[in-house]
Structures are given as C-alpha cells and as structure tokens.
Amino acid sequence: MDSDQSVVEARKADAKASQGKSLIGEKVVLVPYMREHVPRYHQWMQDPALLLATGSEPLTLDQEYQMHLSWTTDPNKHTFIVLDKELIQGDFVPGNPHVEAMVGDVNIYMNDPRDPHLAEIEIMIAESERWFTGFV
C-alpha cells in the first residue's frame, strides 16, 4: 500500500473513531453533524447573506440530506455543529442533537493526502444574534 493510500485509510479510521464524539468548551459544545440537524441547517442556508459568505448555492431539503450523507461518510471532511451552552435545554447529553441550541457549524477539510496533520478549518456562526459574542 502506498503512503497516500495509507493516509486515506488512517483518515477513514479516524473518522469512524470520531463519530459520536463531542468537544465541550467554555461557551460552546461541538457535536457531530447529525441527520436531526439538517432541517435547521437547511433553514440557515436559505439566507442570501450566509450563502454569499460561505460561497454556497441554495439546496432543496432533499439535497441537504444527500449532502449530509456525503459529509458524514467522507474521511477527508469532518463537520461539527456548534451548540451554544446557554441554549441547551436541561443537561448536555452526548448523542442528543440538542437542535434547540444550534448556532453554527465547523468544517474540517483534510486536504493534503501526504500530511494527515494538516487541515483547513471553517467556522460559521449562522445565528446573527450570536455574532460578536465571543464564540470565535
């Protein structure tokens, strides 16, 4: 197996291992992008300002579900939903999508097959009332 193929296989293993993992910070929790998040995400991506800022095209809800499947199965992409800890109803429960607390997303692109430690990261805070509140 050549080194590029080894990196791809390692990324697939990392992607499987990271599924279901959450990252808990001071103000936010990052959770894996789940099917339950798609309707709210789709709602965000109907906003012309967000489409322009992200360089995205508007999709139908069905296309958004297809995109979700693509993102969650690609070993070179990792997507997390940003939850505002103040908006989580009750206690944070890993595996619960906590849709009520969604404020944005984080995308990690593993673009260099030769370097598994190099990535591009994009952060989007989609809820405008959460802009300029210290998340990023």
Side-chain angles (χ1 to χ4, degrees), residues 112-134:
D112 189 340
R114 297 174 309 276
D115 187 348
H117 300 102
L118 182 66
E120 173 187 342
I121 299 175
E122 292 180 350
I123 301 169
M124 174 182 75
I125 302 301
E127 297 290 341
S128 60
E129 64 273 6
R130 293 300 188 215
W131 295 351
F132 310 107
T133 60

Side-chain angles (χ1 to χ4, degrees), residues 16-80:
K16 277 189 173 179
S18 69
Q19 287 178 345
K21 302 233 176 168
S22 300
L23 303 171
I24 301 173
E26 185 178 317
K27 294 184 176 189
V28 301
V29 179
L30 302 182
V31 298
Y33 185 28
M34 301 167 64
R35 186 171 174 80
E36 293 87 347
H37 296 132
V38 173
R40 179 94 174 260
Y41 184 87
H42 176 69
Q43 181 183 12
W44 291 339
M45 298 312 291
Q46 301 309 298
D47 180 340
L50 284 179
L51 290 172
L52 181 64
T54 60
S56 300
E57 296 291 326
L59 300 176
T60 66
L61 184 57
D62 286 339
Q63 289 171 321
E64 206 71 71
Y65 277 111
Q66 292 170 12
M67 196 62 115
H68 165 266
L69 181 60
S70 165
W71 276 85
T72 57
T73 58
D74 186 332
N76 294 317
K77 296 177 185 170
H78 303 276
T79 300
F80 293 90

